[in-house]
Amino acid sequence: MTTARTWAVALTGVDGHLVEVEADLSNQTPDFKIIGLPDKSLAEAVQRVHNACKNSALDLPRRRLTVNLSPASLPKQGSGFDLSIAVSALAAGGAISTRAIAGTVHLGELGLDGRLRPVPGVLPAVFAAARAGFDTVIVPRGNEAEARLVPGVEVRSASTLSEVAVWHGADIEVQDADPVPSSAPAIEEMPDLDLADVVGQEDAVNALVAAAAGGHHLLLSGPPGAGKTMMARRLPGILPALSEDESLEVASIRSLSGESVRSLTVMPPLEAPHHSASVAALVGGGSKVVRPGAISRAHRGVLFLDEAAEFSRVALDALRQPLETGSIEVSRSGMTALFPARFQLVMALNPCPCGNYGVRGAECLCPSLAIRRYATRLSGPLRDRIDIELRVARVSASRAMTGDQAALTSEVARSRVLRARECAAERWRGTPWRRNGDVPGARLRQPDLRIPAAARAPLDRALERGTLTLRGYDRVLRLAWTMADLEGVARPGPDEVGRALYLKRGFAS
């Protein structure tokens, strides 16, 4: 038999595509070629596979060897194809069973000594194999814990190529070698942060609860030391726990980012990129391998932009489309990768470059032009996509030194959020939406959900005066329904609309 086939997985974004790896031998001048649209790192597999086989007592035949990666029109990237190329080449030469490898997916990078090295993206790759109907996947030992998170698949882990070859019928001794540990950083567990630690910011805490209940985006503005960062980092702790499917989504994105995934977590993720982050760092990209950005790593969780005005305006405006669609499409030459990006945006903003503008007892030295320029760093279209804008002040010394904690703990806040989300889920049953923040404004303006004219009068006046756009109007409607769910009333009234309008623009009429 001079032809053999096995399987690997090519990743484009979080989507995995099964790739048939075919090896063929011909009686011509010895050569080794890989075809089927490989990138540079994959083309270099020729030397890695040749040396790994030789150092594992599995010499390749001295004939022309051609390996085809099918479908040929699909771009293939990275070193994760090494193991599948090696076993198909060995099977074509008769060193291992062609039947044994035909129904197995092989993932992993080869070292020159024959050891198997971990690769990123194993979790979504194993998912793709399971969806395609494969029941056996072989992965490097360093990726074993991650691969076993996928149910219904037999995962075999190996440290060396010789170990895999023996499983497939090779008549050699398994070489002893220490497994290559994963060099990827492990996912850090979020510390246990409680809302009870926040003192003297009742309005801001209530706004945080409303944001969690409806999935609303939030902007906190105020001087340094007012507690904006402290509160934003406590938002994931009051969000509902992730479901199993959501946990797997989050873990898959972490795996694509190169992090070591050892278990599933039910805590929504929190991403807080530095203000020097580039557009590619926020939305994803890369010159050779497309990786998810901060907005995708925050999927099902919170994206926190501290010192938001210090981010480049181009980077901030790149968030506008993902905020509306819940996904980001990264296009590169010859390929397009789609990443999920359904996150809650929380931004913290100082009143001016020095942070003291409008602060009682503090001196602001910023020129008026600098203050105006600083305030406009967030574009109008981006601010229009923010549901809640709240100004917070520093806590007085008398309140800070009392030692009293806030009455609202994270546990109590989470229970309120869960009850409100249950009300919303019941209202939107049979629709694609589950949170008020996701519902299109056109749906909220239909007769069956229309708020009575007397209750929405201040909102209508704000729209007529031009202080609200229609998009802002719809966001106030969403927020009003969330306030009603938190209060346990069937439909928003004047109080709920007024509170929602205040949270949107800081005024009540």
Side-chain angles (χ1 to χ4, degrees):
M1 185 71 176
T2 59
T3 303
R5 297 177 178 85
T6 190
W7 297 87
V9 179
L11 295 171
T12 54
V14 292
D15 297 323
H17 307 276
L18 269 293
V19 173
E20 188 176 25
V21 182
E22 305 172 286
D24 180 73
L25 287 173
S26 59
N27 294 319
Q28 299 180 33
T29 305
D31 196 6
F32 190 167
K33 287 188 177 180
I34 299 175
I35 60 176
L37 216 57
D39 70 344
K40 182 175 176 57
S41 62
L42 181 48
E44 292 173 348
V46 169
Q47 197 60 50
R48 290 194 299 271
V49 169
H50 185 275
N51 285 59
C53 290
K54 182 177 181 180
N55 292 323
S56 302
L58 292 163
D59 288 340
L60 294 172
R62 296 185 58 81
R63 296 158 64 185
R64 181 181 291 272
L65 176 62
T66 304
V67 175
N68 179 45
L69 308 177
S70 179
S73 59
L74 178 70
K76 291 91 178 175
Q77 300 173 334
S79 57
F81 290 83
D82 287 4
L83 182 58
S84 59
I85 293 172
V87 297
S88 62
L90 291 169
I96 61 178
S97 168
T98 57
R99 180 175 298 179
I101 69 170
T104 303
V105 176
H106 296 84
L107 306 170
E109 176 186 335
L110 286 173
L112 298 182
D113 57 356
R115 288 189 298 170
L116 276 179
R117 302 180 182 277
V119 292
V122 162
L123 184 57
V126 176
F127 262 121
R131 287 195 299 268
F134 289 88
D135 53 15
T136 305
V137 179
I138 295 179
V139 300
R141 186 76 32 91
N143 292 126
E144 179 180 7
E146 180 179 341
R148 292 192 184 278
L149 296 176
V150 181
V153 178
E154 179 187 355
V155 174
R156 292 185 177 184
S157 65
S159 301
T160 63
L161 175 60
S162 60
E163 192 175 346
V164 177
V166 168
W167 287 343
H168 293 317
D171 187 16
I172 61 170
E173 292 186 4
V174 175
Q175 296 181 350
D176 293 330
D178 294 330
V180 181
S182 175
S183 60
I187 297 177
E188 296 182 3
E189 291 293 331
M190 290 184 59
D192 188 15
L193 304 175
D194 201 294
L195 273 181
D197 300 331
V198 180
V199 177
Q201 297 287 7
E202 287 81 5
D203 281 350
V205 168
N206 289 332
L208 207 66
V209 173
H216 303 291
H217 307 304
L218 173 67
L219 171 62
L220 296 172
S221 62
K228 304 185 296 294
T229 301
M230 183 183 189
M231 287 181 284
R233 291 189 174 276
R234 281 155 176 77
L235 178 57
I238 64 175
L239 292 174
L242 299 176
S243 66
E244 183 178 357
D245 289 343
E246 291 170 341
S247 296
L248 288 170
E249 281 184 52
V250 171
S252 295
I253 296 170
R254 296 291 184 173
S255 175
L256 283 170
S257 301
E259 297 184 19
S260 179
V261 180
R262 304 186 187 281
S263 61
L264 298 180
T265 177
V266 297
M267 173 70 79
L270 171 68
E271 281 293 315
H274 191 260
H275 59 74
S276 62
S278 64
V279 176
L282 280 178
V283 304
S287 58
K288 295 181 180 179
V289 179
V290 178
R291 295 284 186 231
I295 64 173
S296 295
R297 294 195 300 274
H299 180 60
R300 302 294 183 187
V302 176
L303 177 67
F304 175 46
L305 302 184
D306 201 2
E307 306 292 347
E310 301 296 337
F311 284 79
S312 75
R313 183 156 184 166
V314 175
L316 290 174
D317 283 343
L319 301 176
R320 287 155 52 180
Q321 182 260 338
L323 285 173
E324 292 290 335
T325 63
S327 62
I328 180 69
E329 189 174 70
V330 181
S331 298
R332 292 294 181 268
S333 178
M335 69 169 297
T336 299
L338 182 67
F339 295 105
R342 191 164 296 283
F343 57 90
Q344 277 188 253
L345 177 63
V346 179
M347 293 191 291
L349 183 67
N350 290 334
C352 69
C354 76
N356 290 327
Y357 179 69
V359 180
R360 181 181 301 176
E363 182 181 7
C364 174
L365 302 178
C366 302
S368 58
L369 181 61
I371 295 174
R372 287 197 300 270
R373 187 184 300 118
Y374 195 81
T376 58
R377 291 294 293 273
L378 303 186
S379 67
L382 178 60
R383 295 191 80 133
D384 218 21
R385 288 166 168 81
I386 303 299
D387 301 327
I388 300 174
E389 299 183 30
L390 191 68
R391 184 172 180 83
V392 294
R394 289 174 179 162
V395 180
S396 64
S398 59
R399 300 198 66 179
M401 297 305 294
T402 59
D404 295 333
Q405 289 187 314
L408 191 63
T409 65
S410 288
E411 183 178 357
V412 174
R414 192 184 304 111
S415 64
R416 290 185 60 195
V417 169
L418 288 174
R419 286 196 298 270
R421 289 215 178 186
E422 288 171 358
C423 293
E426 179 63 26
R427 178 185 309 115
W428 307 121
R429 187 172 56 180
T431 72
W433 317 298
R434 290 295 177 269
R435 305 180 306 178
N436 295 323
D438 299 329
V439 181
R443 179 69 184 91
L444 295 175
R445 297 194 301 271
Q446 290 181 2
D448 60 324
L449 291 173
R450 190 175 297 162
I451 299 174
R456 69 171 193 273
L459 181 58
D460 291 341
R461 287 198 299 271
L463 182 63
E464 291 168 1
R465 291 198 302 261
T467 54
L468 273 183
T469 65
L470 184 58
R471 180 187 285 121
Y473 183 96
D474 291 340
R475 292 195 175 277
V476 176
L477 290 180
R478 297 185 186 108
L479 190 53
W481 279 100
T482 297
M483 304 306 296
D485 292 337
L486 285 169
E487 295 298 326
V489 297
R491 188 176 291 266
D495 291 342
E496 288 74 31
V497 173
R499 179 63 176 164
L501 191 54
Y502 168 74
L503 290 176
K504 173 60 182 172
R505 284 299 187 202
F507 55 83
S509 62

